[in-house]
Amino acid sequence: MLIFWKHKLVLLSVPKTGTSAYHKALKGHATMSVTHPPALKHMNVANFNRFHRPMMEHAGNIEDFEIVAMVRDPISWLGSWFRYRQRDYLDGHQNSTKGLSFDAFCRDYLKSPRPQHARVGSQAQFFRTDAGEPGVTQLFKYENQWQMNRFLKERLETNFMLDQVNVSPKIDLHLTPETKNQLHQHRAADFKLWDSAI
């Protein structure tokens, strides 16, 4: 999470949406850069409102602050988690997806309860307030990063380049039509969120 006090902007870090690259490029311009531990770096809207917002309100009026973030196509997002959890350092860990197909991983993601390796949350849930309302001002599509880049360059009055950070190995991400349909049906809120983004 990056907070730009002068520019009245908060950039939330949604897992698997390239936010590490933005942290690397923009942390020198931020009033506050939260990079560790992951639970704080990737703080969701409800926790931001519960913990960070009161601290910011104590420091000054933040009514006109904007909260922005990036959202990724849900299947691509799951693919990124699947590939990330294929890394060798997770060998033998219950989060490892080695030995699984992407289709099997997605079917496990749809189970209740989910197996440990498929517990990766939900982008729609990430953006909900405690009242269940959307909690961001602007939401940009990961697939259209140039729009996020243009917005940040104009808003922060700076130029920057993004480096590739935390790149996962290339792996086949084939899904059967049945699994794809089940994802669209059971994770409709995630697809609706992505469709609504800029």
Side-chain angles (χ1 to χ4, degrees):
M1 178 175 61
L2 296 171
I3 298 174
F4 305 91
W5 189 268
K6 175 185 173 183
H7 300 94
K8 300 182 178 182
L9 185 70
V10 176
L11 176 60
L12 295 181
S13 298
V14 184
K16 303 291 143 211
T17 61
T19 50
S20 293
Y22 285 96
H23 270 259
K24 183 177 179 182
L26 296 172
K27 64 183 178 182
H29 301 279
T31 308
M32 181 181 292
S33 172
V34 183
T35 58
H36 297 288
L40 293 182
K41 175 184 178 182
H42 298 298
M43 183 174 290
N44 63 27
V45 166
N47 285 334
F48 172 80
N49 288 338
R50 197 175 297 126
F51 300 112
H52 268 281
R53 185 179 290 278
M55 176 184 66
M56 292 171 64
E57 288 174 341
H58 183 73
N61 183 3
I62 64 166
E63 286 184 9
D64 52 353
F65 267 64
E66 286 192 89
I67 300 175
V68 301
M70 190 137 25
V71 65
R72 189 169 183 169
D73 170 80
I75 292 175
S76 174
W77 182 76
L78 286 170
S80 184
W81 273 114
F82 173 74
R83 291 185 294 118
Y84 179 76
R85 291 186 168 186
Q86 291 268 321
R87 294 185 177 199
D88 291 341
Y89 80 92
L90 284 175
D91 284 357
H93 192 279
Q94 58 185 347
N95 284 349
S96 176
T97 56
K98 274 203 178 162
L100 285 175
S101 68
F102 181 51
D103 195 82
F105 171 77
C106 288
R107 283 186 274 111
D108 284 344
Y109 179 72
L110 292 169
K111 290 179 181 176
S112 181
R114 292 174 185 151
Q116 183 64 37
H117 62 261
R119 292 182 188 172
V120 297
S122 157
Q123 292 181 99
Q125 185 62 40
F126 185 96
F127 292 112
R128 288 194 187 111
T129 65
D130 283 333
E133 301 294 329
V136 293
T137 313
Q138 293 201 63
L139 197 57
F140 294 88
K141 285 184 177 175
Y142 170 87
E143 293 75 12
N144 296 334
Q145 286 188 36
W146 66 270
Q147 292 183 322
M148 168 77 109
N149 295 348
R150 183 176 66 182
F151 170 82
L152 290 173
K153 287 175 182 180
E154 291 176 0
R155 185 62 174 266
L156 301 177
E157 302 173 297
T158 189
N159 200 11
F160 63 87
M161 295 289 292
L162 294 178
D163 294 329
Q164 288 192 322
V165 180
N166 293 338
V167 180
S168 297
K170 298 292 183 185
I171 297 172
D172 176 54
L173 298 179
H174 174 74
L175 287 180
T176 64
E178 180 184 6
T179 301
K180 189 177 292 187
N181 288 337
Q182 287 180 355
L183 283 169
H184 277 272
Q185 179 182 351
H186 295 288
R187 307 308 305 176
D190 292 288
F191 286 96
K192 183 178 179 180
L193 177 77
W194 182 75
D195 285 339
S196 72
I198 297 171

mmCIF file of all heavy atoms in Angstrom, residues 134-176:
data_model
loop_
_atom_site.group_PDB
_atom_site.id
_atom_site.type_symbol
_atom_site.label_atom_id
_atom_site.label_comp_id
_atom_site.label_asym_id
_atom_site.label_seq_id
_atom_site.Cartn_x
_atom_site.Cartn_y
_atom_site.Cartn_z
ATOM 1 N N PRO A 134 -18.794 -1.212 -2.140
ATOM 2 C CA PRO A 134 -17.498 -0.999 -2.795
ATOM 3 C C PRO A 134 -16.733 0.099 -2.062
ATOM 4 O O PRO A 134 -17.322 1.098 -1.658
ATOM 5 C CB PRO A 134 -17.882 -0.553 -4.215
ATOM 6 C CG PRO A 134 -19.294 -0.994 -4.391
ATOM 7 C CD PRO A 134 -19.924 -0.948 -3.037
ATOM 8 N N GLY A 135 -15.432 -0.088 -1.900
ATOM 9 C CA GLY A 135 -14.671 0.849 -1.080
ATOM 10 C C GLY A 135 -13.539 1.572 -1.781
ATOM 11 O O GLY A 135 -12.642 2.085 -1.123
ATOM 12 N N VAL A 136 -13.557 1.601 -3.116
ATOM 13 C CA VAL A 136 -12.509 2.319 -3.836
ATOM 14 C C VAL A 136 -13.127 3.403 -4.709
ATOM 15 O O VAL A 136 -14.278 3.305 -5.127
ATOM 16 C CB VAL A 136 -11.638 1.380 -4.706
ATOM 17 C CG1 VAL A 136 -10.815 0.439 -3.847
ATOM 18 C CG2 VAL A 136 -12.496 0.598 -5.684
ATOM 19 N N THR A 137 -12.333 4.435 -4.985
ATOM 20 C CA THR A 137 -12.792 5.537 -5.823
ATOM 21 C C THR A 137 -12.661 5.183 -7.295
ATOM 22 O O THR A 137 -13.562 5.437 -8.088
ATOM 23 C CB THR A 137 -11.964 6.806 -5.522
ATOM 24 O OG1 THR A 137 -11.866 6.981 -4.112
ATOM 25 C CG2 THR A 137 -12.602 8.027 -6.147
ATOM 26 N N GLN A 138 -11.492 4.630 -7.656
ATOM 27 C CA GLN A 138 -11.251 4.246 -9.050
ATOM 28 C C GLN A 138 -10.592 2.875 -9.084
ATOM 29 O O GLN A 138 -9.695 2.585 -8.298
ATOM 30 C CB GLN A 138 -10.357 5.263 -9.754
ATOM 31 C CG GLN A 138 -10.999 6.616 -9.948
ATOM 32 C CD GLN A 138 -10.315 7.397 -11.064
ATOM 33 O OE1 GLN A 138 -10.316 7.000 -12.219
ATOM 34 N NE2 GLN A 138 -9.742 8.533 -10.702
ATOM 35 N N LEU A 139 -11.050 2.070 -10.020
ATOM 36 C CA LEU A 139 -10.538 0.716 -10.177
ATOM 37 C C LEU A 139 -10.083 0.550 -11.623
ATOM 38 O O LEU A 139 -10.849 0.788 -12.551
ATOM 39 C CB LEU A 139 -11.648 -0.277 -9.846
ATOM 40 C CG LEU A 139 -11.281 -1.722 -9.561
ATOM 41 C CD1 LEU A 139 -10.282 -1.823 -8.422
ATOM 42 C CD2 LEU A 139 -12.548 -2.509 -9.215
ATOM 43 N N PHE A 140 -8.825 0.150 -11.792
ATOM 44 C CA PHE A 140 -8.242 0.008 -13.124
ATOM 45 C C PHE A 140 -8.014 -1.469 -13.437
ATOM 46 O O PHE A 140 -7.677 -2.258 -12.564
ATOM 47 C CB PHE A 140 -6.906 0.748 -13.206
ATOM 48 C CG PHE A 140 -7.023 2.236 -13.073
ATOM 49 C CD1 PHE A 140 -6.989 2.843 -11.825
ATOM 50 C CD2 PHE A 140 -7.179 3.040 -14.197
ATOM 51 C CE1 PHE A 140 -7.100 4.217 -11.693
ATOM 52 C CE2 PHE A 140 -7.282 4.413 -14.078
ATOM 53 C CZ PHE A 140 -7.245 5.006 -12.820
ATOM 54 N N LYS A 141 -8.183 -1.820 -14.710
ATOM 55 C CA LYS A 141 -7.925 -3.200 -15.125
ATOM 56 C C LYS A 141 -6.424 -3.442 -15.281
ATOM 57 O O LYS A 141 -5.729 -2.664 -15.929
ATOM 58 C CB LYS A 141 -8.629 -3.501 -16.453
ATOM 59 C CG LYS A 141 -10.126 -3.692 -16.313
ATOM 60 C CD LYS A 141 -10.764 -4.079 -17.634
ATOM 61 C CE LYS A 141 -12.257 -4.339 -17.430
ATOM 62 N NZ LYS A 141 -12.963 -4.600 -18.697
ATOM 63 N N TYR A 142 -5.980 -4.542 -14.717
ATOM 64 C CA TYR A 142 -4.589 -4.981 -14.862
ATOM 65 C C TYR A 142 -4.222 -5.112 -16.337
ATOM 66 O O TYR A 142 -3.099 -4.799 -16.745
ATOM 67 C CB TYR A 142 -4.433 -6.321 -14.145
ATOM 68 C CG TYR A 142 -3.131 -7.037 -14.380
ATOM 69 C CD1 TYR A 142 -2.016 -6.780 -13.581
ATOM 70 C CD2 TYR A 142 -3.019 -8.002 -15.387
ATOM 71 C CE1 TYR A 142 -0.823 -7.453 -13.788
ATOM 72 C CE2 TYR A 142 -1.819 -8.670 -15.594
ATOM 73 C CZ TYR A 142 -0.733 -8.391 -14.796
ATOM 74 O OH TYR A 142 0.444 -9.063 -15.005
ATOM 75 N N GLU A 143 -5.177 -5.552 -17.129
ATOM 76 C CA GLU A 143 -4.938 -5.767 -18.555
ATOM 77 C C GLU A 143 -4.796 -4.458 -19.329
ATOM 78 O O GLU A 143 -4.346 -4.465 -20.473
ATOM 79 C CB GLU A 143 -6.070 -6.614 -19.143
ATOM 80 C CG GLU A 143 -6.115 -8.053 -18.629
ATOM 81 C CD GLU A 143 -6.655 -8.203 -17.220
ATOM 82 O OE1 GLU A 143 -7.224 -7.232 -16.658
ATOM 83 O OE2 GLU A 143 -6.523 -9.309 -16.652
ATOM 84 N N ASN A 144 -5.188 -3.338 -18.739
ATOM 85 C CA ASN A 144 -5.047 -2.014 -19.353
ATOM 86 C C ASN A 144 -4.171 -1.123 -18.473
ATOM 87 O O ASN A 144 -4.563 -0.016 -18.107
ATOM 88 C CB ASN A 144 -6.422 -1.355 -19.549
ATOM 89 C CG ASN A 144 -7.303 -2.114 -20.517
ATOM 90 O OD1 ASN A 144 -6.815 -2.822 -21.383
ATOM 91 N ND2 ASN A 144 -8.602 -1.981 -20.364
ATOM 92 N N GLN A 145 -2.981 -1.613 -18.140
ATOM 93 C CA GLN A 145 -2.135 -0.889 -17.187
ATOM 94 C C GLN A 145 -1.762 0.508 -17.656
ATOM 95 O O GLN A 145 -1.480 1.378 -16.835
ATOM 96 C CB GLN A 145 -0.869 -1.697 -16.884
ATOM 97 C CG GLN A 145 -1.141 -2.887 -15.995
ATOM 98 C CD GLN A 145 0.131 -3.565 -15.532
ATOM 99 O OE1 GLN A 145 1.131 -2.922 -15.277
ATOM 100 N NE2 GLN A 145 0.086 -4.881 -15.427
ATOM 101 N N TRP A 146 -1.784 0.737 -18.952
ATOM 102 C CA TRP A 146 -1.420 2.066 -19.443
ATOM 103 C C TRP A 146 -2.359 3.127 -18.875
ATOM 104 O O TRP A 146 -1.951 4.279 -18.673
ATOM 105 C CB TRP A 146 -1.425 2.093 -20.976
ATOM 106 C CG TRP A 146 -2.771 1.894 -21.602
ATOM 107 C CD1 TRP A 146 -3.342 0.707 -21.970
ATOM 108 C CD2 TRP A 146 -3.723 2.909 -21.919
ATOM 109 N NE1 TRP A 146 -4.588 0.912 -22.505
ATOM 110 C CE2 TRP A 146 -4.856 2.265 -22.495
ATOM 111 C CE3 TRP A 146 -3.734 4.296 -21.801
ATOM 112 C CZ2 TRP A 146 -5.976 2.965 -22.919
ATOM 113 C CZ3 TRP A 146 -4.860 4.990 -22.234
ATOM 114 C CH2 TRP A 146 -5.954 4.331 -22.779
ATOM 115 N N GLN A 147 -3.607 2.751 -18.603
ATOM 116 C CA GLN A 147 -4.538 3.724 -18.039
ATOM 117 C C GLN A 147 -4.186 4.057 -16.587
ATOM 118 O O GLN A 147 -4.245 5.209 -16.173
ATOM 119 C CB GLN A 147 -5.972 3.198 -18.142
ATOM 120 C CG GLN A 147 -6.457 3.114 -19.586
ATOM 121 C CD GLN A 147 -7.897 2.656 -19.696
ATOM 122 O OE1 GLN A 147 -8.348 1.800 -18.950
ATOM 123 N NE2 GLN A 147 -8.622 3.224 -20.642
ATOM 124 N N MET A 148 -3.828 3.042 -15.819
ATOM 125 C CA MET A 148 -3.357 3.276 -14.453
ATOM 126 C C MET A 148 -2.085 4.109 -14.475
ATOM 127 O O MET A 148 -1.932 5.066 -13.703
ATOM 128 C CB MET A 148 -3.097 1.943 -13.745
ATOM 129 C CG MET A 148 -2.342 2.076 -12.430
ATOM 130 S SD MET A 148 -3.357 2.661 -11.078
ATOM 131 C CE MET A 148 -3.478 1.155 -10.121
ATOM 132 N N ASN A 149 -1.169 3.786 -15.369
ATOM 133 C CA ASN A 149 0.091 4.524 -15.467
ATOM 134 C C ASN A 149 -0.146 5.987 -15.808
ATOM 135 O O ASN A 149 0.455 6.887 -15.200
ATOM 136 C CB ASN A 149 1.017 3.888 -16.510
ATOM 137 C CG ASN A 149 1.461 2.495 -16.116
ATOM 138 O OD1 ASN A 149 1.269 2.067 -14.977
ATOM 139 N ND2 ASN A 149 2.030 1.768 -17.053
ATOM 140 N N ARG A 150 -1.019 6.230 -16.766
ATOM 141 C CA ARG A 150 -1.326 7.610 -17.161
ATOM 142 C C ARG A 150 -1.940 8.375 -15.991
ATOM 143 O O ARG A 150 -1.569 9.523 -15.716
ATOM 144 C CB ARG A 150 -2.272 7.622 -18.357
ATOM 145 C CG ARG A 150 -2.586 9.033 -18.880
ATOM 146 C CD ARG A 150 -3.452 8.998 -20.113
ATOM 147 N NE ARG A 150 -4.780 8.470 -19.802
ATOM 148 C CZ ARG A 150 -5.735 8.303 -20.714
ATOM 149 N NH1 ARG A 150 -5.492 8.567 -21.996
ATOM 150 N NH2 ARG A 150 -6.913 7.841 -20.374
ATOM 151 N N PHE A 151 -2.876 7.737 -15.292
ATOM 152 C CA PHE A 151 -3.516 8.376 -14.139
ATOM 153 C C PHE A 151 -2.484 8.744 -13.074
ATOM 154 O O PHE A 151 -2.473 9.868 -12.551
ATOM 155 C CB PHE A 151 -4.566 7.437 -13.547
ATOM 156 C CG PHE A 151 -5.111 7.894 -12.221
ATOM 157 C CD1 PHE A 151 -6.115 8.852 -12.159
ATOM 158 C CD2 PHE A 151 -4.610 7.379 -11.035
ATOM 159 C CE1 PHE A 151 -6.614 9.285 -10.932
ATOM 160 C CE2 PHE A 151 -5.099 7.798 -9.808
ATOM 161 C CZ PHE A 151 -6.102 8.757 -9.762
ATOM 162 N N LEU A 152 -1.602 7.797 -12.733
ATOM 163 C CA LEU A 152 -0.619 8.042 -11.682
ATOM 164 C C LEU A 152 0.398 9.102 -12.095
ATOM 165 O O LEU A 152 0.800 9.943 -11.280
ATOM 166 C CB LEU A 152 0.089 6.741 -11.305
ATOM 167 C CG LEU A 152 -0.769 5.716 -10.554
ATOM 168 C CD1 LEU A 152 -0.009 4.405 -10.399
ATOM 169 C CD2 LEU A 152 -1.199 6.250 -9.184
ATOM 170 N N LYS A 153 0.832 9.076 -13.351
ATOM 171 C CA LYS A 153 1.798 10.074 -13.816
ATOM 172 C C LYS A 153 1.204 11.479 -13.749
ATOM 173 O O LYS A 153 1.887 12.427 -13.324
ATOM 174 C CB LYS A 153 2.256 9.751 -15.239
ATOM 175 C CG LYS A 153 3.191 8.554 -15.315
ATOM 176 C CD LYS A 153 3.533 8.179 -16.753
ATOM 177 C CE LYS A 153 4.438 6.952 -16.787
ATOM 178 N NZ LYS A 153 4.795 6.551 -18.166
ATOM 179 N N GLU A 154 -0.054 11.602 -14.133
ATOM 180 C CA GLU A 154 -0.701 12.917 -14.077
ATOM 181 C C GLU A 154 -0.970 13.339 -12.638
ATOM 182 O O GLU A 154 -0.713 14.480 -12.253
ATOM 183 C CB GLU A 154 -2.015 12.887 -14.878
ATOM 184 C CG GLU A 154 -1.796 12.760 -16.375
ATOM 185 C CD GLU A 154 -3.100 12.632 -17.138
ATOM 186 O OE1 GLU A 154 -4.182 12.638 -16.498
ATOM 187 O OE2 GLU A 154 -3.046 12.528 -18.386
ATOM 188 N N ARG A 155 -1.474 12.420 -11.836
ATOM 189 C CA ARG A 155 -1.853 12.746 -10.460
ATOM 190 C C ARG A 155 -0.636 13.051 -9.597
ATOM 191 O O ARG A 155 -0.640 13.985 -8.793
ATOM 192 C CB ARG A 155 -2.648 11.589 -9.863
ATOM 193 C CG ARG A 155 -3.209 11.856 -8.474
ATOM 194 C CD ARG A 155 -4.206 13.016 -8.475
ATOM 195 N NE ARG A 155 -4.829 13.144 -7.182
ATOM 196 C CZ ARG A 155 -5.988 12.574 -6.862
ATOM 197 N NH1 ARG A 155 -6.634 11.832 -7.749
ATOM 198 N NH2 ARG A 155 -6.491 12.731 -5.660
ATOM 199 N N LEU A 156 0.421 12.274 -9.757
ATOM 200 C CA LEU A 156 1.622 12.441 -8.932
ATOM 201 C C LEU A 156 2.628 13.402 -9.560
ATOM 202 O O LEU A 156 3.666 13.692 -8.969
ATOM 203 C CB LEU A 156 2.285 11.082 -8.694
ATOM 204 C CG LEU A 156 1.414 10.026 -8.005
ATOM 205 C CD1 LEU A 156 2.159 8.708 -7.899
ATOM 206 C CD2 LEU A 156 0.942 10.498 -6.635
ATOM 207 N N GLU A 157 2.327 13.848 -10.773
ATOM 208 C CA GLU A 157 3.190 14.805 -11.476
ATOM 209 C C GLU A 157 4.630 14.294 -11.571
ATOM 210 O O GLU A 157 5.596 14.997 -11.268
ATOM 211 C CB GLU A 157 3.161 16.170 -10.775
ATOM 212 C CG GLU A 157 1.769 16.765 -10.669
ATOM 213 C CD GLU A 157 1.710 18.020 -9.829
ATOM 214 O OE1 GLU A 157 1.999 17.933 -8.615
ATOM 215 O OE2 GLU A 157 1.380 19.079 -10.396
ATOM 216 N N THR A 158 4.743 13.047 -11.987
ATOM 217 C CA THR A 158 6.060 12.432 -12.128
ATOM 218 C C THR A 158 6.021 11.405 -13.248
ATOM 219 O O THR A 158 4.960 10.954 -13.653
ATOM 220 C CB THR A 158 6.500 11.751 -10.814
ATOM 221 O OG1 THR A 158 7.864 11.346 -10.924
ATOM 222 C CG2 THR A 158 5.647 10.522 -10.500
ATOM 223 N N ASN A 159 7.192 11.072 -13.753
ATOM 224 C CA ASN A 159 7.304 10.025 -14.761
ATOM 225 C C ASN A 159 7.963 8.819 -14.111
ATOM 226 O O ASN A 159 8.787 8.960 -13.211
ATOM 227 C CB ASN A 159 8.142 10.520 -15.941
ATOM 228 C CG ASN A 159 7.905 9.699 -17.195
ATOM 229 O OD1 ASN A 159 6.975 8.893 -17.245
ATOM 230 N ND2 ASN A 159 8.736 9.881 -18.187
ATOM 231 N N PHE A 160 7.604 7.641 -14.536
ATOM 232 C CA PHE A 160 8.200 6.437 -13.960
ATOM 233 C C PHE A 160 8.125 5.308 -14.961
ATOM 234 O O PHE A 160 7.323 5.330 -15.891
ATOM 235 C CB PHE A 160 7.501 6.051 -12.650
ATOM 236 C CG PHE A 160 6.044 5.702 -12.798
ATOM 237 C CD1 PHE A 160 5.635 4.406 -13.103
ATOM 238 C CD2 PHE A 160 5.067 6.673 -12.630
ATOM 239 C CE1 PHE A 160 4.293 4.091 -13.248
ATOM 240 C CE2 PHE A 160 3.717 6.364 -12.766
ATOM 241 C CZ PHE A 160 3.331 5.075 -13.068
ATOM 242 N N MET A 161 8.982 4.335 -14.756
ATOM 243 C CA MET A 161 9.003 3.118 -15.563
ATOM 244 C C MET A 161 8.784 1.941 -14.624
ATOM 245 O O MET A 161 9.280 1.928 -13.498
ATOM 246 C CB MET A 161 10.340 2.953 -16.285
ATOM 247 C CG MET A 161 10.617 4.039 -17.316
ATOM 248 S SD MET A 161 9.575 3.903 -18.773
ATOM 249 C CE MET A 161 10.204 2.378 -19.481
ATOM 250 N N LEU A 162 8.050 0.952 -15.086
ATOM 251 C CA LEU A 162 7.789 -0.238 -14.282
ATOM 252 C C LEU A 162 8.735 -1.360 -14.682
ATOM 253 O O LEU A 162 8.887 -1.662 -15.865
ATOM 254 C CB LEU A 162 6.349 -0.709 -14.454
ATOM 255 C CG LEU A 162 5.244 0.207 -13.923
ATOM 256 C CD1 LEU A 162 3.878 -0.402 -14.229
ATOM 257 C CD2 LEU A 162 5.397 0.456 -12.437
ATOM 258 N N ASP A 163 9.389 -1.951 -13.688
ATOM 259 C CA ASP A 163 10.198 -3.146 -13.907
ATOM 260 C C ASP A 163 9.347 -4.374 -13.626
ATOM 261 O O ASP A 163 8.384 -4.311 -12.844
ATOM 262 C CB ASP A 163 11.412 -3.159 -12.971
ATOM 263 C CG ASP A 163 12.385 -2.040 -13.270
ATOM 264 O OD1 ASP A 163 12.483 -1.642 -14.450
ATOM 265 O OD2 ASP A 163 13.036 -1.546 -12.325
ATOM 266 N N GLN A 164 9.688 -5.485 -14.231
ATOM 267 C CA GLN A 164 9.003 -6.731 -13.913
ATOM 268 C C GLN A 164 9.506 -7.244 -12.574
ATOM 269 O O GLN A 164 10.710 -7.384 -12.359
ATOM 270 C CB GLN A 164 9.234 -7.773 -15.000
ATOM 271 C CG GLN A 164 8.478 -7.477 -16.287
ATOM 272 C CD GLN A 164 8.481 -8.661 -17.227
ATOM 273 O OE1 GLN A 164 9.473 -9.370 -17.333
ATOM 274 N NE2 GLN A 164 7.388 -8.878 -17.917
ATOM 275 N N VAL A 165 8.568 -7.507 -11.665
ATOM 276 C CA VAL A 165 8.899 -7.954 -10.316
ATOM 277 C C VAL A 165 8.056 -9.188 -9.998
ATOM 278 O O VAL A 165 6.879 -9.256 -10.359
ATOM 279 C CB VAL A 165 8.609 -6.833 -9.279
ATOM 280 C CG1 VAL A 165 8.955 -7.297 -7.870
ATOM 281 C CG2 VAL A 165 9.386 -5.575 -9.628
ATOM 282 N N ASN A 166 8.649 -10.168 -9.326
ATOM 283 C CA ASN A 166 7.929 -11.380 -8.905
ATOM 284 C C ASN A 166 7.265 -12.105 -10.083
ATOM 285 O O ASN A 166 6.095 -12.486 -10.008
ATOM 286 C CB ASN A 166 6.864 -11.053 -7.848
ATOM 287 C CG ASN A 166 7.485 -10.600 -6.541
ATOM 288 O OD1 ASN A 166 8.638 -10.880 -6.259
ATOM 289 N ND2 ASN A 166 6.715 -9.886 -5.750
ATOM 290 N N VAL A 167 8.003 -12.265 -11.162
ATOM 291 C CA VAL A 167 7.452 -12.928 -12.344
ATOM 292 C C VAL A 167 7.439 -14.440 -12.121
ATOM 293 O O VAL A 167 8.459 -15.045 -11.811
ATOM 294 C CB VAL A 167 8.273 -12.586 -13.605
ATOM 295 C CG1 VAL A 167 7.682 -13.287 -14.817
ATOM 296 C CG2 VAL A 167 8.297 -11.077 -13.816
ATOM 297 N N SER A 168 6.274 -15.045 -12.271
ATOM 298 C CA SER A 168 6.133 -16.484 -12.065
ATOM 299 C C SER A 168 6.455 -17.239 -13.355
ATOM 300 O O SER A 168 6.401 -16.668 -14.444
ATOM 301 C CB SER A 168 4.697 -16.814 -11.628
ATOM 302 O OG SER A 168 4.406 -16.197 -10.394
ATOM 303 N N PRO A 169 6.788 -18.527 -13.232
ATOM 304 C CA PRO A 169 7.120 -19.314 -14.432
ATOM 305 C C PRO A 169 5.933 -19.454 -15.369
ATOM 306 O O PRO A 169 4.775 -19.436 -14.955
ATOM 307 C CB PRO A 169 7.523 -20.676 -13.843
ATOM 308 C CG PRO A 169 6.880 -20.729 -12.503
ATOM 309 C CD PRO A 169 6.866 -19.323 -11.998
ATOM 310 N N LYS A 170 6.219 -19.569 -16.663
ATOM 311 C CA LYS A 170 5.178 -19.768 -17.665
ATOM 312 C C LYS A 170 4.683 -21.217 -17.592
ATOM 313 O O LYS A 170 5.485 -22.157 -17.603
ATOM 314 C CB LYS A 170 5.717 -19.483 -19.067
ATOM 315 C CG LYS A 170 6.188 -18.049 -19.281
ATOM 316 C CD LYS A 170 5.027 -17.084 -19.260
ATOM 317 C CE LYS A 170 5.516 -15.666 -19.551
ATOM 318 N NZ LYS A 170 4.421 -14.679 -19.413
ATOM 319 N N ILE A 171 3.379 -21.376 -17.499
ATOM 320 C CA ILE A 171 2.772 -22.702 -17.376
ATOM 321 C C ILE A 171 1.471 -22.698 -18.166
ATOM 322 O O ILE A 171 0.791 -21.676 -18.267
ATOM 323 C CB ILE A 171 2.479 -23.024 -15.889
ATOM 324 C CG1 ILE A 171 3.782 -23.078 -15.076
ATOM 325 C CG2 ILE A 171 1.742 -24.355 -15.740
ATOM 326 C CD1 ILE A 171 3.568 -23.198 -13.591
ATOM 327 N N ASP A 172 1.114 -23.851 -18.720
ATOM 328 C CA ASP A 172 -0.146 -23.968 -19.440
ATOM 329 C C ASP A 172 -1.317 -23.732 -18.486
ATOM 330 O O ASP A 172 -1.383 -24.318 -17.394
ATOM 331 C CB ASP A 172 -0.267 -25.361 -20.061
ATOM 332 C CG ASP A 172 -1.603 -25.559 -20.747
ATOM 333 O OD1 ASP A 172 -1.964 -24.730 -21.600
ATOM 334 O OD2 ASP A 172 -2.294 -26.546 -20.418
ATOM 335 N N LEU A 173 -2.223 -22.855 -18.868
ATOM 336 C CA LEU A 173 -3.370 -22.511 -18.028
ATOM 337 C C LEU A 173 -4.685 -22.899 -18.709
ATOM 338 O O LEU A 173 -5.636 -22.129 -18.733
ATOM 339 C CB LEU A 173 -3.355 -21.007 -17.704
ATOM 340 C CG LEU A 173 -2.150 -20.504 -16.905
ATOM 341 C CD1 LEU A 173 -2.248 -19.006 -16.680
ATOM 342 C CD2 LEU A 173 -2.032 -21.245 -15.567
ATOM 343 N N HIS A 174 -4.716 -24.104 -19.240
ATOM 344 C CA HIS A 174 -5.919 -24.580 -19.930
ATOM 345 C C HIS A 174 -7.023 -24.893 -18.928
ATOM 346 O O HIS A 174 -6.795 -25.494 -17.877
ATOM 347 C CB HIS A 174 -5.604 -25.838 -20.743
ATOM 348 C CG HIS A 174 -6.816 -26.459 -21.346
ATOM 349 N ND1 HIS A 174 -7.471 -25.923 -22.439
ATOM 350 C CD2 HIS A 174 -7.533 -27.576 -20.979
ATOM 351 C CE1 HIS A 174 -8.510 -26.674 -22.743
ATOM 352 N NE2 HIS A 174 -8.574 -27.674 -21.879
ATOM 353 N N LEU A 175 -8.243 -24.464 -19.264
ATOM 354 C CA LEU A 175 -9.429 -24.808 -18.482
ATOM 355 C C LEU A 175 -10.445 -25.501 -19.384
ATOM 356 O O LEU A 175 -10.618 -25.124 -20.543
ATOM 357 C CB LEU A 175 -10.087 -23.550 -17.899
ATOM 358 C CG LEU A 175 -9.400 -22.838 -16.747
ATOM 359 C CD1 LEU A 175 -10.228 -21.627 -16.321
ATOM 360 C CD2 LEU A 175 -9.197 -23.771 -15.564
ATOM 361 N N THR A 176 -11.140 -26.486 -18.841
ATOM 362 C CA THR A 176 -12.233 -27.090 -19.584
ATOM 363 C C THR A 176 -13.393 -26.098 -19.624
ATOM 364 O O THR A 176 -13.529 -25.245 -18.729
ATOM 365 C CB THR A 176 -12.710 -28.389 -18.906
ATOM 366 O OG1 THR A 176 -13.238 -28.062 -17.607
ATOM 367 C CG2 THR A 176 -11.565 -29.384 -18.765
#
